[in-house]
Amino acid sequence: MKTQLKLKTALLSCASACVMAAQPAWAQDEGVQDTITVTGTRISDFDAPTPVTAFDEEEIDRKAVFRISDLVVDVPAFVPHQNIGKFSEAIGTSYFNLRGLGFARTLTLLDGRRLAPTSPDGIVDTNVIPLSLIKKVEIVTGGASAAYGSDAVSGVVNLTLDHRLEGVKGDIQYGISTYDDVSAPAVSLAAGHSFADDRLHIVAGFDFYDNNGQLAQGTRPWGDDNTALVTLPDGPPNRTQANNAVYSQLTYGGVSSLNNIPELQGIQFGPGGEVQPFQYGTAVGSTWMIGGDGVSMANEANIYPKVSRQAGYARATFDLTDTTELFADALYSHTYAFSDSAYVSTNRSPLAIDIDNPFLPQGVRDIMMDNGVDTYYLRRILGEQGPITNANDIDYQRYGAGAKGELSGGWNWDVTFQYSKSNFYREDGGNTNLRRLSLGTDVVLDPMTNDPVCRSSLNNPSSTDPDIANCVPVNLFGEGSLNGSALDYISGTAVLDSEQKQTLVSFNLSGSPFQTWAGDVSVAVGGEWRKDELSATTDPISAMTGWYAVNSQPLSGEVSVKEAYTEVVVPLMSDQPMGYSMDVNGAARVTDYSTSGTVVTWKAGMNYSPTPDIRFRGTYSRDIRAPSVNELFSGQSQFVNQLVDPRDNSNPTVPLLTGGNPTLDPEKSNAWTVGVVLTPGFANGLSLSFDYYSFKIKDAIASLDGQTIVDNCFILMQTSLCDAIMQNSNGNITEVQATLLNAAAASAKGFDVQMDYGVPFLSGDLNFSVLANYVGELSTTISGVKSDVVGQLASETAGGVPEWRFNLGARYVTDDFAAGVLVRYVDNGVFRTAYTEGVDIDDNTIPSRTYVDVDISKRITENIQLYGKINNLFNVAPPAATTFITQPNYNGGAFHDRIGRYFKVGARFQF
């Protein structure tokens, strides 16, 4: 098995990848290298018909990144992801999402071995992957379940580490934005050495990354205008995006709710509960208005969370014989992420203050008495608590051991045991106990002491209920009135503590049993057994959904899987009159799940080259994704959701309930790709490619976001979704349920185009590249009604991708110098594809954006290189695309740069 590493350049190499290939590599150990199997097939030395993106260490260096998610951000096949503050996901996590089909449908491998989930949601946070030893990244942009197993519906990302590094190498970097924030010191170190006459080789690597983030978009010129999507009571149009948008029913001292009688409206409370007039602006809705005396938390919306990570990897490889090696490796990573969100506010429903409440200002009580009203409704931001904070810790461990080798006749085998464990801990601080808030604001005078006392305590003096026995009167009239013991009584932290474990055993065998007239027939067979376990505990209040936000639920469950596969490549033509080469490729896999039974996946593909300059290729596959343990067994979790009710343009803020379903079945996908690769001999250095793709998923596991459920029910008339919307007797939305179901079909269609061209220039090489992606469809169909989100760019949560994205690259490279420029284009789009411009919104367009990145590097000695990079050179601001939340992001989409111009400087060394 001791062969030289043979890198195969494949279709859709990242923009400028072949440009970097022209730059000389730093000195490496030229001894024995591991055989690397190209992602997309289990058969070595075979150009799979599935489109593959591949780039190596030099491309990673050019990108100057310290996180895997940043490495693929300019690959148009990926939808970028960075949770900056959504309650429903772990903060600061970064997931792979190929073709916009969802994180769970992209399989992530490290050295060809499955990475276990990092958190209860069943997804792999790419922050746990160390960069220090990465030698190659391969991205399959087509279905690959038959070759690699469940989850490879939209593709596979395989990261290969350097197991034979000799010497020491490192990278020291510092990054900072033009606004002097989002600072990020980073260090990467790796070392390797051979012992025992080169039979034992040990490598180790360590990464450190500490991004200080920026938690306030008001630090940007575009983010300090209090921009929000405001409903228009006199519409249509029903919505408009406006600056100077403030809350119509929220202040830090308290304000009258609009459901009071008119005589009690237009009142707010100053210091000490002073009764003051509240001036309404225009376009007064249930949440927003334009102008007036209200306030806004929009300027405090997040740009980028604080993320800190440390990752270490070590591997020992021992050559037992010339044809057999043993190995053991270990990976440990710790990731900490922190963000904050809006202050707790009583925007879901007003607080009812009875007329006998001693904290009620006398001026308000007088109006109530004059009008025969017993209850006053108050809305308020609980600013004294500070913002809700979101923090999570991930401790990730993976241990592996195995053997691999060669048999006679060129057959290769390997066997691996792997154990992974991830401890995920999440805290949501600055939270409010809703029951205690209700008890604490229901206050009367104690007839014995004439002091304020909770009504519940007065009526139940012997209660053993701690909420009643310890009740503290809460005064919400006037900013600063909520303090001391009252603040402590209602405040707290929601906690989720989970452990994910995966045990895996696999074996593979590949070789050539015989030949045809055109060459060797290659075969690979193998099997895998794995067990995924999840156990999660929460605090007692979360278990009762008693917090204002999050309310994660305890769960416990496990799934075991048995798989067996075979793959074959049959050459049919080699330098014949009918063509230069042709081969067919097929694979099949049988998978048995302990929860849902047996399924079969398969793939068929073909390569055909009529001449050496042209290659046609295509694949057709059946792929699957099984539900994760979380999707099967999780209880209902509650998250805050601000909605727009299209029936009356009101803005209810209601709980969104999500949860698992133990009866879920695996999703099934039919995918096909067809393409052509041109390398014309008359144009040396030119490469062109085109690939069309199509995915059709049935029995898709679906849980739509709250706004999509409401829009699709009331606008698109999808009656099956209306059952998920809870309403009170007045028809007002009070809750939205988003339980997972095999209730949808999903479809994605589009094509990729790439051009690379390199020519000698002066004392080096000048290289150009074009990489473009067009999406014709990205849809979900429920109850026969299709929702296509191509062009929907305002909300990462709601999904959507631009119709066009492309990158243009140019790079000049010499032996010791390199400089390049990359132009990234994001097409224009819309807020929501379900909206009709002029009816649902006045202007449904989101303009395009073009970003320019530049980089430069100079080797100052044989062993030391200095480099610099600027992302978003011209500091292009994101387009306005506000989100439907109480603290709206100016731009809540996935494709636009919110940080601004960003500088990176660093030094690399290798000895």
Side-chain angles (χ1 to χ4, degrees), residues 50 78 83 157 170 227 243 312 330 360 393 403 416 464 501 504 513 530 596 670 708 759 785 805 838:
T50 308
F78 282 96
N83 182 17
V157 180
T227 307
N243 294 332
L360 183 71
D393 272 285
T416 302
T464 58
K501 295 188 291 186
L504 181 151
R530 68 179 180 274
S596 53
N670 290 333
T708 298
V759 294
V785 179
R805 274 197 297 163

Side-chain angles (χ1 to χ4, degrees), residues 721-734:
L721 291 180
C722 297
D723 295 335
I725 302 171
M726 305 295 106
Q727 303 176 63
N728 60 20
S729 57
N730 296 323
N732 299 318
I733 299 174
T734 59

Side-chain angles (χ1 to χ4, degrees), residues 647-687:
R647 297 171 300 174
D648 59 7
N649 293 329
S650 62
N651 293 111
T653 300
V654 300
L656 174 69
L657 300 181
T658 64
N661 182 352
T663 66
L664 290 173
D665 292 322
E667 302 175 335
K668 301 177 182 66
S669 170
N670 290 333
W672 62 279
T673 64
V674 59
V676 58
V677 182
L678 304 174
T679 53
F682 61 83
N684 188 35
L686 177 64
S687 174

Side-chain angles (χ1 to χ4, degrees), residues 250-254 297 342-346 351 378-388 430-434 437 441 474-476 479-482 487 490-491 548:
L250 290 174
T251 67
Y252 288 98
M297 294 182 279
Y343 295 93
V344 172
S345 55
T346 61
L351 290 171
L378 176 75
R379 293 183 188 254
R380 188 184 191 275
I381 298 171
L382 307 186
E384 293 91 340
Q385 280 187 309
I388 298 177
N431 225 326
T432 298
N433 185 318
L434 295 178
L437 178 64
T441 52
V474 175
N475 178 12
L476 294 180
E479 185 173 1
S481 61
L482 178 60
L487 186 60
I490 67 171
S491 303
Y548 173 83

Side-chain angles (χ1 to χ4, degrees), residues 4 41 44-45 74 124 170 192 199 248 321 363 379 382 406 442 452 476 520 528 565 577 656 706 810 819 876 891:
Q4 292 292 321
T41 175
S44 300
D45 299 326
D74 55 4
V124 176
R199 295 180 65 191
S248 59
T321 69
R379 293 183 188 254
L382 307 186
E406 288 183 357
D442 187 11
L476 294 180
D520 292 336
E528 181 175 292
Y565 78 91
L656 174 69
V876 176
N891 181 288

Side-chain angles (χ1 to χ4, degrees), residues 1-272:
M1 66 155 289
K2 297 181 178 180
T3 62
Q4 292 292 321
L5 177 64
K6 183 178 181 180
L7 296 178
K8 292 191 174 183
T9 303
L11 176 65
L12 291 180
S13 57
C14 181
S16 301
C18 70
V19 173
M20 284 304 302
Q23 182 172 347
W26 286 33
Q28 294 284 325
D29 176 18
E30 295 298 332
V32 175
Q33 298 288 320
D34 291 327
T35 298
I36 301 300
T37 301
V38 174
T39 305
T41 175
R42 292 281 187 176
I43 295 174
S44 300
D45 299 326
F46 167 60
D47 287 313
T50 308
V52 178
T53 296
F55 45 88
D56 58 14
E57 292 174 276
E58 293 170 353
E59 176 68 4
I60 296 171
D61 287 347
R62 184 193 72 77
K63 291 173 179 288
V65 299
F66 270 80
R67 299 200 313 157
I68 291 294
S69 58
D70 296 333
L71 189 63
V72 299
V73 71
D74 55 4
V75 179
F78 282 96
V79 172
H81 171 74
Q82 176 67 68
N83 182 17
I84 62 172
K86 295 194 297 291
F87 287 138
S88 55
E89 295 177 7
I91 301 302
T93 50
S94 294
Y95 305 136
F96 288 137
N97 181 3
L98 279 166
R99 303 300 188 198
L101 287 170
F103 319 128
R105 297 182 181 123
T106 301
L107 178 62
T108 305
L109 307 174
L110 184 63
D111 282 331
R113 293 148 48 194
R114 182 182 292 259
L115 278 167
T118 55
S119 59
D121 57 17
I123 315 298
V124 176
D125 179 11
T126 61
N127 284 312
V128 304
I129 302 171
L131 271 77
S132 54
L133 283 165
I134 289 181
K135 192 173 187 67
K136 185 180 181 183
V137 179
E138 299 162 300
I139 305 161
V140 179
T141 54
S145 294
Y148 286 100
S150 178
D151 304 337
V153 172
S154 59
V156 178
V157 180
N158 182 34
L159 302 109
T160 301
L161 303 183
D162 185 356
H163 304 149
R164 298 284 179 169
L165 173 67
E166 192 69 39
V168 178
K169 68 175 184 177
D171 191 343
I172 301 173
Q173 183 190 107
Y174 185 78
I176 194 164
S177 81
T178 195
Y179 300 99
D180 198 29
D181 57 16
V182 199
S183 59
V187 177
S188 173
L189 296 172
H193 191 63
S194 294
F195 304 89
D197 296 326
D198 292 337
R199 295 180 65 191
L200 174 65
H201 198 91
I202 296 177
V203 296
F206 172 77
D207 290 352
F208 168 82
Y209 174 83
D210 186 22
N211 193 314
N212 291 295
Q214 175 50 264
L215 304 183
Q217 68 180 14
T219 59
R220 300 301 190 261
W222 47 262
D224 63 353
D225 292 326
N226 289 334
T227 307
L229 193 64
V230 178
T231 58
L232 299 174
D234 298 325
N238 299 328
R239 303 167 183 86
T240 185
Q241 192 167 239
N243 294 332
N244 194 26
V246 295
Y247 302 126
S248 59
Q249 301 187 84
L250 290 174
T251 67
Y252 288 98
V255 66
S256 294
S257 175
L258 290 174
N259 65 327
N260 283 296
I261 61 173
E263 290 81 1
L264 286 171
Q265 295 179 19
I267 296 173
Q268 64 176 325
F269 302 95

Side-chain angles (χ1 to χ4, degrees), residues 809-842:
R811 191 165 185 79
Y812 177 67
V813 182
T814 69
D815 290 340
D816 60 2
F817 173 82
V821 59
L822 180 68
V823 179
R824 299 178 283 124
Y825 173 78
V826 179
D827 203 6
N828 64 312
V830 298
F831 271 85
R832 294 269 181 170
T833 54
Y835 286 172
T836 299
E837 188 165 288
V839 177
D840 301 297
I841 192 170
D842 61 341

Side-chain angles (χ1 to χ4, degrees), residues 316-345:
T317 304
F318 181 72
D319 295 331
L320 189 65
T321 69
D322 288 343
T323 59
T324 304
E325 75 172 37
L326 308 177
F327 74 89
D329 64 2
L331 165 66
Y332 173 79
S333 175
H334 175 258
T335 304
Y336 173 79
F338 176 88
S339 182
D340 61 19
S341 187
Y343 295 93
V344 172
S345 55

